[in-house]
């Protein structure tokens, strides 16, 4: 590249990066060249921006603005995550303690390698190194990601599944035919939310109404078989895990119930975050009366865990 061309390219590039409009005719007059030369300079800048994506993680594009009759720089999107974003994701994953150590390490390495520029990868790895070294994996030590993916496929295709499930209360392995509707995560574990398709089995449950699903820990599924049969749930009656999530604690199934209690603690925001359906009914000298809707018996465990800070009213 001769000095004149270098000066032109750098000048046009600086203008674009500064947010200015580049008019081909004006630049040709400014540098005393024809417009074809300016077009080639713009093409060179485009090629440079394309090659720079892998380093910066930012997708910039030189586009022609027909209204303004000139070229400008447009940041289409940021391809890679920022240092802060990937650090936050890594910390959340580590705190979840949801996977075996080797699986967690593998996922974090892939995230860091793929999602942030190479020059920043060592910094992020250094910030999570100690927590990764002392990582405590779940006691079940099961590989279940493939099973979870099979469940996801069955949900997407509305296919029945049959599972051999290790029951908690007596350690017995039971077989269930299920209509899977959602995968959820809570407190170290991934869960399958499903409706039991066997009326005889459902009679032994606290809740037999079709509107209330049952919940299974995915790591306790000993074997899973996909059925060729499909089920149909009308769109108006579809299971909405977002709404279900607001009303369930500790992933214990059960009926929908309404609770009301007084809170004597000093951080009511923590209560409102824990119970997304909660509403403050009254406040008197920093004592809050709160009502909420919740599914199942898990709320009882949580209320007892709050000790003197909570008084159950109904």
């Amino acid at each position: 590249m001769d000095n004149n061309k270098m000066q032109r390219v750098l000048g046009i590039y600086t203008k674009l990066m500064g947010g200015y409009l580049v008019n081909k005719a004006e630049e040709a007059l400014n540098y005393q060249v024809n417009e074809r030369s300016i077009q080639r300079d713009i093409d060179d800048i485009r090629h440079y921006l394309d090659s720079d994506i892998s380093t910066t993680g930012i997708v910039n594009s030189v586009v022609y603005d027909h209204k303004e009759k000139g070229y400008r720089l447009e940041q289409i999107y940021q391809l890679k995550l920022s240092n802060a974003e990937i650090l936050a994701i890594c910390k959340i994953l580590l705190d979840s303690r949801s996977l075996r150590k080797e699986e967690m390490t593998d996922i974090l390495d892939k995230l860091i390698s793929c999602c942030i520029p190479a020059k920043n990868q060592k910094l992020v790895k250094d910030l999570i190194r100690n927590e990764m070294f002392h990582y405590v994996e779940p006691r079940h030590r099961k590989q279940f990601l493939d099973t979870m993916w099979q469940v996801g496929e069955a949900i997407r295709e509305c296919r029945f599944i049959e599972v051999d499930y290790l029951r908690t209360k007596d350690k017995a392995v039971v077989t269930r035919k299920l209509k899977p509707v959602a995968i959820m995560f809570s407190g170290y574990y991934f869960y399958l939310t499903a409706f039991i398709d066997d009326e005889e089995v459902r009679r032994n449950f606290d809740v037999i109404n079709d509107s209330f699903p049952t919940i299974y820990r995915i790591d306790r599924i000993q074997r899973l078989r996909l059925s060729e049969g499909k089920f149909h749930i009308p769109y108006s009656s579809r299971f909405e895990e977002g709404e279900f999530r607001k009303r369930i604690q500790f992933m214990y199934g059960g009926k929908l119930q309404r609770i009301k209690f007084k809170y004597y603690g000093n951080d009511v925001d923590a209560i409102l975050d824990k119970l997304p359906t909660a509403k403050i009914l009254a406040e008197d000298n920093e004592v809050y009366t709160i009502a909420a809707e919740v599914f199942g018996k898990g709320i009882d465990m949580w209320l007892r865990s709050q000790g003197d800070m909570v008084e159950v009213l109904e």
Side-chain angles (χ1 to χ4, degrees):
M1 188 185 292
D2 61 47
N3 287 336
N4 289 336
K5 181 175 175 63
M6 185 181 295
Q7 185 179 10
R8 287 199 317 270
V9 170
L10 289 175
I12 294 170
Y13 176 78
T14 302
K15 258 191 171 183
L16 290 167
M17 294 302 289
Y20 295 98
L21 195 75
V22 171
N23 180 280
K24 218 164 33 171
E26 289 178 5
E27 297 304 323
L29 184 63
N30 182 38
Y31 290 106
Q32 297 185 354
V33 295
N34 58 44
E35 291 187 24
R36 288 193 302 276
S37 295
I38 299 300
Q39 184 62 60
R40 285 193 292 270
D41 295 339
I42 291 171
D43 290 341
D44 288 338
I45 292 170
R46 280 175 168 155
H47 292 151
Y48 169 74
L49 292 173
D50 287 344
S51 67
D52 199 40
I53 292 172
S54 61
T55 304
T56 64
I58 299 173
V59 180
N60 288 318
S61 180
V62 179
V63 299
Y64 185 74
D65 190 322
H66 291 277
K67 184 179 179 181
E68 299 294 335
K69 294 183 170 50
Y71 292 88
R72 58 182 173 79
L73 190 73
E74 184 175 89
Q75 186 178 114
I76 301 175
Y77 59 88
Q78 187 159 328
L79 182 67
K80 295 183 182 290
L81 297 170
S82 68
N83 294 348
E85 288 169 337
I86 197 64
L87 179 61
I89 292 171
C90 289
K91 289 289 185 179
I92 291 168
L93 282 171
L94 284 166
D95 190 56
S96 76
R97 289 181 47 212
S98 57
L99 302 171
R100 298 189 315 159
K101 187 169 185 175
E102 62 187 68
E103 292 174 317
M104 183 64 74
T105 301
D106 189 42
I107 288 175
L108 291 177
D109 285 344
K110 288 175 182 175
L111 273 173
I112 293 170
S113 298
C114 296
C115 296
I116 56 175
K119 64 181 180 180
N120 298 328
Q121 290 175 14
K122 185 178 183 303
L123 172 61
V124 175
K125 286 182 178 179
D126 286 345
L127 288 170
I128 66 170
R129 190 183 308 280
N130 186 262
E131 196 168 355
M132 191 68 249
F133 180 78
H134 292 288
Y135 179 77
V136 179
E137 61 186 11
R139 288 173 58 83
H140 61 72
R141 294 183 174 85
K142 296 283 182 62
Q143 290 181 308
F144 59 86
L145 293 179
D146 289 341
T147 300
M148 188 164 70
W149 181 252
Q150 285 183 291
V151 170
E153 288 182 317
I155 292 169
R156 180 69 182 85
E157 297 170 10
C158 295
R159 291 173 64 182
F160 286 102
I161 61 173
E162 190 172 270
V163 300
D164 295 338
Y165 184 74
L166 179 63
R167 201 158 54 185
T168 310
K169 60 182 179 181
D170 56 6
K171 306 302 180 187
V173 176
V174 295
T175 300
R176 297 283 183 262
K177 185 179 179 183
L178 305 171
K179 299 176 184 177
V181 291
I183 295 171
M184 306 178 78
F185 176 80
S186 179
Y188 313 119
Y189 307 116
F190 288 93
Y191 294 87
L192 159 65
T193 305
F195 297 107
I196 297 174
D197 193 55
D198 189 329
E199 185 69 31
E200 201 63 36
V201 171
R202 287 169 55 224
R203 283 180 184 157
N204 297 322
F205 281 68
D206 291 340
V207 177
I208 61 172
N209 190 307
D210 279 341
S211 63
F212 302 117
T214 51
I215 299 169
Y216 303 87
R217 254 177 56 182
I218 292 179
D219 61 275
R220 288 188 177 144
I221 295 176
Q222 307 291 296
R223 190 169 62 145
L224 181 143
R225 295 169 294 284
L226 295 176
S227 170
E228 292 302 319
K230 293 190 175 185
F231 60 89
H232 173 68
I233 298 177
Y235 184 79
S236 60
S237 304
R238 72 194 185 281
F239 178 76
E240 296 187 83
E241 57 263 46
E243 290 300 316
F244 187 68
R245 160 72 71 184
K246 293 178 186 177
R247 293 168 171 81
I248 192 161
Q249 300 298 319
F250 301 103
M251 300 308 287
Y252 278 76
K255 296 180 180 179
L256 182 67
Q257 57 182 321
R258 290 171 177 80
I259 60 168
K260 186 163 73 171
F261 60 91
K262 286 188 176 182
Y263 176 67
Y264 297 90
N266 55 14
D267 187 5
V268 72
D269 286 343
I271 302 299
L272 300 178
D273 287 335
K274 183 67 177 176
L275 304 173
T277 62
K279 293 181 180 178
I280 297 174
L281 302 180
E283 178 190 354
D284 183 18
N285 292 325
E286 297 187 347
V287 175
Y288 298 88
T289 301
I290 296 173
E293 282 188 342
V294 291
F295 275 107
K297 300 176 181 178
I299 188 64
D300 300 332
M301 296 172 55
W302 180 80
L303 288 169
R304 288 197 298 269
S305 74
Q306 300 305 299
D308 295 338
M309 289 193 298
V310 165
E311 176 189 351
V312 179
L313 299 177
E314 60 183 62

